[in-house]
Amino acid sequence: MEKTWLDTFTEWVNVVDDRIWGTSFEVCGMPVPVLIIVILFGGIFLTIRLGGMQFIRLPLAIKYMFRNEKVEHGAKGEVSSFGALCTALSATIGTGNIVGVATAYVTGGPGTLFWMWIAALFGMATKYSEGLLAVKYRSYDAEAGHVLGGPFYYIERGMGKRWKWLACIFAFFGICVGLFGIGTFTQVNSICGAITQFFDPDMRWGVTILDNEYSMVTVIASFILATLVGLVLIGGLKRISKVSTRVIPVMVVLYIAVALIILVCNITAIPGAVATIFKSAFGLEAVAGGALGAIICSMQKGVARGIFSNEAGLGSAPIAAAAAQTKECVRQGLVSMTGTFLDTIIVCSITGLALTVTGQPYLSESAPMGAVATMNAFATGIPFLPRIATDFLVMLSLVLFGFTTILGWDYYSERCLEYLTGGRMRIVTFYRWLYIAAVFIGPYMTISAVWGIADIFNGLMALPNMIALFCLSGVVAAETKAYFARRREGEVKD
């Protein structure tokens, strides 16, 4: 079969992806990506620097998450802290929570879930630091009428003007992530793939576009999705926040409720599933010679999936956190870190447990991947519902998760563009239409290409942010210490 231009493009993307996420060393023949180590080590370093604050202060953070829906008197910002969190979650909780977790499970085994938890627990310290710095170093654009903040501002203002070049690099790759990566191509590709799998699994309504075969369902779905995204984006941040605060709680509760039904129906299998997760995480299921290799494989897949799912260290969430109506940067940092807890410890865990208790196959070339694996888990776990009903539930979850991620990443990338262009709104408006067009063309690329592009720009975006977090960790520690000292003295009220 002759190669198409899309096959050639995919090969090129994979080569670049391998260069960026390449390895500097191998352990038991398994590659250990440098970027993953940097991001994970950053979380461990900040955890130590902050005295394990994410464990000690989590109840207070959850309290602030709901209480800060009532805007603090005299606080600057555009949306409530809860609204800012939902905007961040709209970009964080996406198809990766369903497709990504299932793919990690199949390729790395059930133990990947344990390493996701580890990445998330340390990532909470990273996300806290990002949210704190975003509010501390934000600025208010009176002409545009909104708050500007994020890694580009805490790099420039916190590290000094001579580091502006690093802030510009972050902003540039932030735009690329939104326009070409996880903001558009990966989400709409997964959404349309799930819709096509449900309505036209046998490709009965096939059409040829640029020498490649697609279902007519894919074409219709991409058009409807691009139209809906356009209608929301024209309204700006407040409309994105409004949609997110309505959709995010509903979709998370719906997905968790259905997954909990699976766990209840298979409650006797839960102890065995938990044991399997820990055995797989530490290579106890492998033969003696391959135990260490199994651990490295499970760790690599789990940590990578955890990082990409909760986005701790990538620098995306602080862009939304900067818009929160709050006077206290520490308070917003606490609210921000709950996003990692909700995304990975709750939503990803639910998916991973559903796959494990229903005994879905893994570490096999013939094992179903991605959404299909999750659909199989739901169908097996809820035997009293017909297969079409459980498939529909997974498809609906994918659509809602992916749709809100598209909205959230438009906001992130627009703020990056504003920083680079000095707030020229005409350019931002033009970019918005480009973003809508990218949503439309996303389904016509291969899965390998869209995830490869996302990996490339995620890595290039994360490096400047992690450099800033290491350099400004002293500021984070000082602000944290000062805030809780004032709180003990009664100067700060919860």
Side-chain angles (χ1 to χ4, degrees), residues 65-129:
M65 178 179 70
F66 292 105
R67 182 162 292 185
N68 271 9
E69 175 64 3
K70 296 179 179 179
V71 177
E72 298 170 44
H73 180 68
K76 291 184 177 180
E78 294 183 75
V79 295
S80 68
S81 289
F82 183 71
L85 174 64
C86 284
T87 301
L89 283 175
S90 70
T92 304
I93 298 179
T95 56
N97 295 81
I98 299 175
V99 177
V101 173
T103 300
Y105 171 90
V106 172
T107 57
T112 54
L113 186 59
F114 172 82
W115 296 110
M116 283 183 211
W117 295 335
I118 297 299
L121 291 174
F122 288 119
M124 287 171 69
T126 305
K127 191 69 76 75
Y128 166 80
S129 302

Short mmCIF file of all heavy atoms in Angstrom, two decimals, residues 65-129:
data_model
loop_
_atom_site.label_atom_id
_atom_site.label_comp_id
_atom_site.label_asym_id
_atom_site.label_seq_id
_atom_site.Cartn_x
_atom_site.Cartn_y
_atom_site.Cartn_z
N MET A 65 -11.97 25.90 48.22
CA MET A 65 -12.48 25.66 46.87
C MET A 65 -13.95 26.00 46.77
O MET A 65 -14.40 26.62 45.79
CB MET A 65 -12.26 24.19 46.49
CG MET A 65 -12.80 23.81 45.12
SD MET A 65 -12.50 22.08 44.71
CE MET A 65 -13.59 21.24 45.85
N PHE A 66 -14.74 25.64 47.78
CA PHE A 66 -16.17 25.93 47.75
C PHE A 66 -16.50 27.30 48.32
O PHE A 66 -17.35 28.01 47.80
CB PHE A 66 -16.93 24.84 48.52
CG PHE A 66 -16.89 23.51 47.87
CD1 PHE A 66 -16.09 22.49 48.36
CD2 PHE A 66 -17.63 23.26 46.72
CE1 PHE A 66 -16.05 21.25 47.75
CE2 PHE A 66 -17.59 22.03 46.09
CZ PHE A 66 -16.79 21.02 46.61
N ARG A 67 -15.78 27.70 49.37
CA ARG A 67 -16.10 28.98 50.01
C ARG A 67 -15.76 30.16 49.11
O ARG A 67 -16.43 31.18 49.14
CB ARG A 67 -15.36 29.10 51.34
CG ARG A 67 -15.67 30.40 52.08
CD ARG A 67 -15.30 30.29 53.54
NE ARG A 67 -16.16 29.35 54.23
CZ ARG A 67 -16.11 29.12 55.55
NH1 ARG A 67 -15.24 29.76 56.29
NH2 ARG A 67 -16.93 28.27 56.10
N ASN A 68 -14.71 30.03 48.30
CA ASN A 68 -14.29 31.13 47.46
C ASN A 68 -15.17 31.32 46.23
O ASN A 68 -14.88 32.14 45.38
CB ASN A 68 -12.83 30.94 47.01
CG ASN A 68 -11.87 31.55 47.99
OD1 ASN A 68 -12.27 31.95 49.08
ND2 ASN A 68 -10.61 31.61 47.63
N GLU A 69 -16.25 30.56 46.15
CA GLU A 69 -17.25 30.86 45.12
C GLU A 69 -17.86 32.22 45.43
O GLU A 69 -18.30 32.95 44.54
CB GLU A 69 -18.34 29.77 45.12
CG GLU A 69 -19.50 30.05 44.16
CD GLU A 69 -19.09 30.07 42.71
OE1 GLU A 69 -17.92 29.83 42.39
OE2 GLU A 69 -19.96 30.37 41.87
N LYS A 70 -17.87 32.60 46.73
CA LYS A 70 -18.28 33.94 47.13
C LYS A 70 -17.05 34.82 47.04
O LYS A 70 -16.07 34.64 47.76
CB LYS A 70 -18.83 33.93 48.55
CG LYS A 70 -20.09 33.10 48.69
CD LYS A 70 -20.59 33.10 50.12
CE LYS A 70 -21.86 32.27 50.27
NZ LYS A 70 -22.34 32.24 51.66
N VAL A 71 -17.07 35.81 46.16
CA VAL A 71 -15.90 36.62 45.87
C VAL A 71 -15.49 37.44 47.08
O VAL A 71 -16.33 38.03 47.77
CB VAL A 71 -16.19 37.55 44.67
CG1 VAL A 71 -15.00 38.45 44.39
CG2 VAL A 71 -16.52 36.72 43.44
N GLU A 72 -14.17 37.49 47.34
CA GLU A 72 -13.66 38.29 48.45
C GLU A 72 -13.90 39.77 48.20
O GLU A 72 -13.75 40.25 47.07
CB GLU A 72 -12.15 38.03 48.61
CG GLU A 72 -11.81 36.60 48.95
CD GLU A 72 -10.31 36.36 48.85
OE1 GLU A 72 -9.55 37.22 49.33
OE2 GLU A 72 -9.91 35.34 48.29
N HIS A 73 -14.24 40.50 49.22
CA HIS A 73 -14.53 41.92 49.11
C HIS A 73 -13.29 42.69 48.65
O HIS A 73 -12.23 42.59 49.25
CB HIS A 73 -15.02 42.47 50.45
CG HIS A 73 -15.33 43.94 50.40
ND1 HIS A 73 -16.40 44.45 49.70
CD2 HIS A 73 -14.69 45.02 50.97
CE1 HIS A 73 -16.42 45.76 49.83
NE2 HIS A 73 -15.39 46.13 50.60
N GLY A 74 -13.43 43.45 47.56
CA GLY A 74 -12.34 44.29 47.09
C GLY A 74 -11.28 43.55 46.29
O GLY A 74 -10.25 44.12 45.94
N ALA A 75 -11.50 42.27 46.00
CA ALA A 75 -10.49 41.50 45.29
C ALA A 75 -10.58 41.76 43.79
O ALA A 75 -11.67 41.87 43.23
CB ALA A 75 -10.67 40.01 45.56
N LYS A 76 -9.41 41.85 43.14
CA LYS A 76 -9.37 42.01 41.70
C LYS A 76 -9.43 40.64 41.03
O LYS A 76 -9.03 39.63 41.60
CB LYS A 76 -8.09 42.73 41.29
CG LYS A 76 -8.04 44.20 41.70
CD LYS A 76 -6.78 44.86 41.16
CE LYS A 76 -6.76 46.35 41.51
NZ LYS A 76 -5.55 47.01 40.99
N GLY A 77 -9.91 40.66 39.79
CA GLY A 77 -10.00 39.41 39.05
C GLY A 77 -11.23 39.42 38.17
O GLY A 77 -11.98 40.39 38.14
N GLU A 78 -11.42 38.33 37.46
CA GLU A 78 -12.55 38.24 36.53
C GLU A 78 -13.60 37.22 36.96
O GLU A 78 -14.79 37.40 36.68
CB GLU A 78 -12.04 37.86 35.13
CG GLU A 78 -11.17 38.91 34.49
CD GLU A 78 -10.76 38.51 33.09
OE1 GLU A 78 -11.61 38.58 32.18
OE2 GLU A 78 -9.60 38.12 32.90
N VAL A 79 -13.16 36.15 37.61
CA VAL A 79 -14.09 35.09 38.02
C VAL A 79 -13.75 34.68 39.45
O VAL A 79 -12.68 34.99 39.97
CB VAL A 79 -14.00 33.86 37.08
CG1 VAL A 79 -14.46 34.22 35.68
CG2 VAL A 79 -12.58 33.30 37.05
N SER A 80 -14.68 33.97 40.10
CA SER A 80 -14.42 33.47 41.45
C SER A 80 -13.30 32.43 41.41
O SER A 80 -12.95 31.91 40.36
CB SER A 80 -15.68 32.85 42.03
OG SER A 80 -16.01 31.66 41.33
N SER A 81 -12.75 32.13 42.59
CA SER A 81 -11.72 31.10 42.66
C SER A 81 -12.25 29.75 42.16
O SER A 81 -11.54 28.99 41.50
CB SER A 81 -11.22 30.95 44.10
OG SER A 81 -10.46 32.08 44.47
N PHE A 82 -13.51 29.47 42.49
CA PHE A 82 -14.13 28.23 42.02
C PHE A 82 -14.27 28.25 40.51
O PHE A 82 -14.04 27.26 39.83
CB PHE A 82 -15.49 28.04 42.68
CG PHE A 82 -16.17 26.75 42.31
CD1 PHE A 82 -15.70 25.54 42.76
CD2 PHE A 82 -17.30 26.75 41.49
CE1 PHE A 82 -16.32 24.34 42.41
CE2 PHE A 82 -17.92 25.57 41.13
CZ PHE A 82 -17.43 24.37 41.60
N GLY A 83 -14.63 29.43 39.96
CA GLY A 83 -14.75 29.58 38.51
C GLY A 83 -13.40 29.40 37.83
O GLY A 83 -13.30 28.77 36.77
N ALA A 84 -12.33 29.97 38.45
CA ALA A 84 -10.98 29.80 37.90
C ALA A 84 -10.57 28.33 37.93
O ALA A 84 -9.95 27.82 36.99
CB ALA A 84 -9.99 30.66 38.68
N LEU A 85 -10.92 27.65 39.04
CA LEU A 85 -10.60 26.22 39.15
C LEU A 85 -11.33 25.43 38.08
O LEU A 85 -10.75 24.54 37.45
CB LEU A 85 -10.98 25.70 40.54
CG LEU A 85 -10.82 24.18 40.75
CD1 LEU A 85 -9.36 23.77 40.64
CD2 LEU A 85 -11.40 23.77 42.10
N CYS A 86 -12.60 25.74 37.87
CA CYS A 86 -13.38 25.01 36.86
C CYS A 86 -12.85 25.28 35.46
O CYS A 86 -12.86 24.39 34.61
CB CYS A 86 -14.86 25.40 36.95
SG CYS A 86 -15.72 24.65 38.34
N THR A 87 -12.38 26.51 35.21
CA THR A 87 -11.75 26.81 33.92
C THR A 87 -10.51 25.97 33.74
O THR A 87 -10.26 25.41 32.67
CB THR A 87 -11.39 28.30 33.82
OG1 THR A 87 -12.57 29.09 33.99
CG2 THR A 87 -10.78 28.62 32.46
N ALA A 88 -9.70 25.86 34.81
CA ALA A 88 -8.49 25.03 34.75
C ALA A 88 -8.86 23.56 34.59
O ALA A 88 -8.24 22.84 33.79
CB ALA A 88 -7.66 25.23 36.01
N LEU A 89 -9.87 23.10 35.34
CA LEU A 89 -10.30 21.70 35.23
C LEU A 89 -10.88 21.40 33.85
O LEU A 89 -10.77 20.27 33.36
CB LEU A 89 -11.33 21.38 36.31
CG LEU A 89 -10.79 21.17 37.73
CD1 LEU A 89 -11.94 20.98 38.71
CD2 LEU A 89 -9.84 19.97 37.79
N SER A 90 -11.51 22.41 33.23
CA SER A 90 -12.09 22.19 31.90
C SER A 90 -11.00 21.83 30.90
O SER A 90 -11.23 21.09 29.94
CB SER A 90 -12.83 23.45 31.43
OG SER A 90 -11.94 24.51 31.13
N ALA A 91 -9.78 22.38 31.13
CA ALA A 91 -8.66 22.04 30.25
C ALA A 91 -7.93 20.79 30.72
O ALA A 91 -7.30 20.09 29.93
CB ALA A 91 -7.67 23.22 30.18
N THR A 92 -7.99 20.51 32.03
CA THR A 92 -7.24 19.38 32.60
C THR A 92 -8.00 18.07 32.47
O THR A 92 -7.43 17.05 32.04
CB THR A 92 -6.95 19.66 34.09
OG1 THR A 92 -6.26 20.90 34.21
CG2 THR A 92 -6.09 18.56 34.68
N ILE A 93 -9.27 18.06 32.89
CA ILE A 93 -10.06 16.83 32.78
C ILE A 93 -10.54 16.69 31.35
O ILE A 93 -11.46 17.37 30.90
CB ILE A 93 -11.27 16.87 33.75
CG1 ILE A 93 -10.79 16.95 35.20
CG2 ILE A 93 -12.13 15.62 33.56
CD1 ILE A 93 -11.90 17.01 36.22
N GLY A 94 -9.88 15.85 30.61
CA GLY A 94 -10.20 15.68 29.20
C GLY A 94 -10.24 14.22 28.81
O GLY A 94 -10.43 13.33 29.65
N THR A 95 -10.04 13.99 27.54
CA THR A 95 -10.11 12.62 27.04
C THR A 95 -9.00 11.75 27.63
O THR A 95 -9.13 10.52 27.66
CB THR A 95 -10.00 12.61 25.50
OG1 THR A 95 -8.78 13.27 25.12
CG2 THR A 95 -11.16 13.34 24.87
N GLY A 96 -7.92 12.37 28.13
CA GLY A 96 -6.85 11.61 28.75
C GLY A 96 -7.30 10.83 29.97
O GLY A 96 -6.72 9.80 30.31
N ASN A 97 -8.35 11.33 30.66
CA ASN A 97 -8.85 10.63 31.84
C ASN A 97 -9.55 9.33 31.48
O ASN A 97 -9.74 8.46 32.34
CB ASN A 97 -9.84 11.52 32.60
CG ASN A 97 -9.17 12.75 33.18
OD1 ASN A 97 -8.95 13.73 32.48
ND2 ASN A 97 -8.84 12.70 34.45
N ILE A 98 -9.96 9.20 30.24
CA ILE A 98 -10.62 7.98 29.78
C ILE A 98 -9.71 7.21 28.83
O ILE A 98 -9.35 6.07 29.06
CB ILE A 98 -11.96 8.30 29.09
CG1 ILE A 98 -12.91 9.00 30.07
CG2 ILE A 98 -12.61 7.04 28.54
CD1 ILE A 98 -14.21 9.46 29.45
N VAL A 99 -9.31 7.89 27.74
CA VAL A 99 -8.47 7.25 26.72
C VAL A 99 -7.05 7.04 27.24
O VAL A 99 -6.46 5.97 27.11
CB VAL A 99 -8.44 8.10 25.44
CG1 VAL A 99 -7.51 7.47 24.41
CG2 VAL A 99 -9.84 8.24 24.86
N GLY A 100 -6.48 8.09 27.87
CA GLY A 100 -5.09 8.03 28.32
C GLY A 100 -4.87 7.01 29.42
O GLY A 100 -3.89 6.26 29.39
N VAL A 101 -5.77 6.97 30.39
CA VAL A 101 -5.63 6.00 31.49
C VAL A 101 -5.75 4.58 30.96
O VAL A 101 -4.97 3.69 31.35
CB VAL A 101 -6.71 6.26 32.57
CG1 VAL A 101 -6.69 5.15 33.62
CG2 VAL A 101 -6.47 7.61 33.24
N ALA A 102 -6.70 4.36 30.07
CA ALA A 102 -6.87 3.02 29.50
C ALA A 102 -5.65 2.59 28.70
O ALA A 102 -5.21 1.44 28.77
CB ALA A 102 -8.12 2.98 28.62
N THR A 103 -5.07 3.53 27.95
CA THR A 103 -3.87 3.22 27.16
C THR A 103 -2.69 2.87 28.07
O THR A 103 -1.94 1.93 27.82
CB THR A 103 -3.51 4.41 26.25
OG1 THR A 103 -4.61 4.68 25.37
CG2 THR A 103 -2.27 4.10 25.42
N ALA A 104 -2.54 3.65 29.17
CA ALA A 104 -1.46 3.37 30.13
C ALA A 104 -1.67 2.01 30.78
O ALA A 104 -0.71 1.25 30.98
CB ALA A 104 -1.42 4.46 31.19
N TYR A 105 -2.91 1.69 31.11
CA TYR A 105 -3.24 0.41 31.74
C TYR A 105 -2.87 -0.75 30.82
O TYR A 105 -2.26 -1.74 31.25
CB TYR A 105 -4.74 0.37 32.05
CG TYR A 105 -5.28 -0.98 32.49
CD1 TYR A 105 -5.31 -1.33 33.83
CD2 TYR A 105 -5.79 -1.88 31.55
CE1 TYR A 105 -5.82 -2.56 34.23
CE2 TYR A 105 -6.30 -3.11 31.93
CZ TYR A 105 -6.31 -3.44 33.27
OH TYR A 105 -6.81 -4.66 33.66
N VAL A 106 -3.22 -0.64 29.54
CA VAL A 106 -2.98 -1.72 28.59
C VAL A 106 -1.48 -1.89 28.32
O VAL A 106 -0.98 -3.01 28.25
CB VAL A 106 -3.73 -1.46 27.27
CG1 VAL A 106 -3.33 -2.48 26.20
CG2 VAL A 106 -5.24 -1.53 27.49
N THR A 107 -0.75 -0.78 28.18
CA THR A 107 0.66 -0.86 27.80
C THR A 107 1.61 -1.02 29.00
O THR A 107 2.73 -1.50 28.84
CB THR A 107 1.08 0.40 27.02
OG1 THR A 107 0.81 1.57 27.81
CG2 THR A 107 0.32 0.49 25.70
N GLY A 108 1.16 -0.61 30.19
CA GLY A 108 2.04 -0.68 31.36
C GLY A 108 1.53 -1.54 32.49
O GLY A 108 2.23 -1.77 33.48
N GLY A 109 0.28 -2.03 32.38
CA GLY A 109 -0.30 -2.86 33.43
C GLY A 109 -1.04 -2.05 34.48
O GLY A 109 -0.96 -0.82 34.51
N PRO A 110 -1.78 -2.71 35.37
CA PRO A 110 -2.55 -2.02 36.41
C PRO A 110 -1.68 -1.17 37.34
O PRO A 110 -2.16 -0.20 37.93
CB PRO A 110 -3.20 -3.17 37.18
CG PRO A 110 -3.20 -4.33 36.24
CD PRO A 110 -1.97 -4.17 35.42
N GLY A 111 -0.39 -1.52 37.47
CA GLY A 111 0.50 -0.77 38.36
C GLY A 111 0.68 0.68 37.95
O GLY A 111 1.12 1.50 38.77
N THR A 112 0.35 1.01 36.71
CA THR A 112 0.48 2.40 36.27
C THR A 112 -0.40 3.32 37.11
O THR A 112 -0.06 4.49 37.30
CB THR A 112 0.08 2.54 34.79
OG1 THR A 112 -1.24 2.01 34.60
CG2 THR A 112 1.05 1.82 33.88
N LEU A 113 -1.51 2.78 37.63
CA LEU A 113 -2.40 3.60 38.45
C LEU A 113 -1.69 4.05 39.73
O LEU A 113 -1.85 5.20 40.17
CB LEU A 113 -3.67 2.81 38.80
CG LEU A 113 -4.78 3.58 39.53
CD1 LEU A 113 -5.25 4.77 38.71
CD2 LEU A 113 -5.96 2.66 39.85
N PHE A 114 -0.91 3.17 40.34
CA PHE A 114 -0.16 3.53 41.54
C PHE A 114 0.80 4.67 41.25
O PHE A 114 0.90 5.63 42.03
CB PHE A 114 0.62 2.31 42.06
CG PHE A 114 1.58 2.64 43.18
CD1 PHE A 114 1.14 2.74 44.48
CD2 PHE A 114 2.93 2.85 42.90
CE1 PHE A 114 2.04 3.06 45.50
CE2 PHE A 114 3.83 3.15 43.91
CZ PHE A 114 3.37 3.26 45.22
N TRP A 115 1.51 4.61 40.12
CA TRP A 115 2.48 5.65 39.79
C TRP A 115 1.79 6.94 39.37
O TRP A 115 2.36 8.02 39.52
CB TRP A 115 3.44 5.15 38.71
CG TRP A 115 4.26 3.99 39.20
CD1 TRP A 115 4.18 2.69 38.82
CD2 TRP A 115 5.26 4.03 40.23
NE1 TRP A 115 5.06 1.91 39.52
CE2 TRP A 115 5.75 2.72 40.40
CE3 TRP A 115 5.80 5.06 41.02
CZ2 TRP A 115 6.74 2.41 41.32
CZ3 TRP A 115 6.78 4.75 41.94
CH2 TRP A 115 7.25 3.44 42.07
N MET A 116 0.57 6.86 38.86
CA MET A 116 -0.23 8.07 38.63
C MET A 116 -0.50 8.77 39.95
O MET A 116 -0.45 10.01 40.04
CB MET A 116 -1.57 7.71 37.96
CG MET A 116 -1.50 7.40 36.49
SD MET A 116 -3.16 7.10 35.83
CE MET A 116 -2.78 5.94 34.54
N TRP A 117 -0.84 7.98 40.97
CA TRP A 117 -1.09 8.56 42.29
C TRP A 117 0.16 9.26 42.82
O TRP A 117 0.07 10.36 43.36
CB TRP A 117 -1.51 7.46 43.28
CG TRP A 117 -2.80 6.80 42.97
CD1 TRP A 117 -3.85 7.35 42.26
CD2 TRP A 117 -3.23 5.48 43.36
NE1 TRP A 117 -4.89 6.44 42.18
CE2 TRP A 117 -4.54 5.30 42.84
CE3 TRP A 117 -2.64 4.46 44.07
CZ2 TRP A 117 -5.25 4.12 43.03
CZ3 TRP A 117 -3.33 3.28 44.26
CH2 TRP A 117 -4.63 3.11 43.74
N ILE A 118 1.31 8.62 42.66
CA ILE A 118 2.56 9.22 43.13
C ILE A 118 2.82 10.55 42.41
O ILE A 118 3.16 11.57 43.03
CB ILE A 118 3.75 8.25 42.91
CG1 ILE A 118 3.57 6.97 43.73
CG2 ILE A 118 5.07 8.93 43.24
CD1 ILE A 118 3.50 7.20 45.23
N ALA A 119 2.66 10.54 41.08
CA ALA A 119 2.87 11.76 40.30
C ALA A 119 1.90 12.85 40.73
O ALA A 119 2.27 14.03 40.81
CB ALA A 119 2.69 11.46 38.81
N ALA A 120 0.67 12.48 41.04
CA ALA A 120 -0.34 13.45 41.43
C ALA A 120 -0.06 14.04 42.82
O ALA A 120 -0.19 15.24 43.04
CB ALA A 120 -1.73 12.83 41.41
N LEU A 121 0.34 13.17 43.76
CA LEU A 121 0.59 13.64 45.13
C LEU A 121 1.72 14.65 45.18
O LEU A 121 1.64 15.68 45.86
CB LEU A 121 0.89 12.45 46.04
CG LEU A 121 -0.30 11.52 46.32
CD1 LEU A 121 0.14 10.30 47.11
CD2 LEU A 121 -1.41 12.25 47.06
N PHE A 122 2.80 14.39 44.43
CA PHE A 122 3.89 15.36 44.37
C PHE A 122 3.52 16.53 43.44
O PHE A 122 3.95 17.67 43.66
CB PHE A 122 5.18 14.69 43.89
CG PHE A 122 5.79 13.78 44.92
CD1 PHE A 122 5.94 12.42 44.65
CD2 PHE A 122 6.20 14.26 46.14
CE1 PHE A 122 6.49 11.57 45.61
CE2 PHE A 122 6.76 13.41 47.10
CZ PHE A 122 6.91 12.07 46.83
N GLY A 123 2.72 16.23 42.41
CA GLY A 123 2.29 17.28 41.49
C GLY A 123 1.40 18.32 42.15
O GLY A 123 1.31 19.46 41.68
N MET A 124 0.75 17.96 43.25
CA MET A 124 -0.08 18.94 43.97
C MET A 124 0.76 20.08 44.51
O MET A 124 0.32 21.24 44.53
CB MET A 124 -0.84 18.24 45.11
CG MET A 124 -1.98 17.36 44.63
SD MET A 124 -2.70 16.35 45.96
CE MET A 124 -3.49 17.62 46.94
N ALA A 125 2.00 19.80 44.94
CA ALA A 125 2.90 20.86 45.40
C ALA A 125 3.30 21.76 44.24
O ALA A 125 3.42 22.99 44.39
CB ALA A 125 4.14 20.25 46.06
N THR A 126 3.49 21.15 43.07
CA THR A 126 3.82 21.92 41.87
C THR A 126 2.67 22.83 41.49
O THR A 126 2.85 24.02 41.21
CB THR A 126 4.16 20.97 40.71
OG1 THR A 126 5.20 20.08 41.10
CG2 THR A 126 4.59 21.76 39.49
N LYS A 127 1.46 22.26 41.48
CA LYS A 127 0.28 23.05 41.09
C LYS A 127 0.01 24.17 42.10
O LYS A 127 -0.40 25.27 41.71
CB LYS A 127 -0.93 22.11 40.97
CG LYS A 127 -2.17 22.72 40.31
CD LYS A 127 -1.96 22.98 38.84
CE LYS A 127 -2.03 21.72 38.00
NZ LYS A 127 -3.33 21.16 37.78
N TYR A 128 0.24 23.90 43.38
CA TYR A 128 0.10 24.94 44.41
C TYR A 128 1.03 26.10 44.13
O TYR A 128 0.63 27.27 44.16
CB TYR A 128 0.40 24.35 45.79
CG TYR A 128 0.61 25.39 46.87
CD1 TYR A 128 -0.48 26.02 47.47
CD2 TYR A 128 1.89 25.77 47.25
CE1 TYR A 128 -0.28 27.00 48.45
CE2 TYR A 128 2.10 26.74 48.22
CZ TYR A 128 1.01 27.35 48.82
OH TYR A 128 1.21 28.32 49.77
N SER A 129 2.28 25.79 43.82
CA SER A 129 3.28 26.82 43.56
C SER A 129 2.91 27.64 42.32
O SER A 129 3.06 28.87 42.31
CB SER A 129 4.66 26.18 43.37
OG SER A 129 5.03 25.43 44.50
#
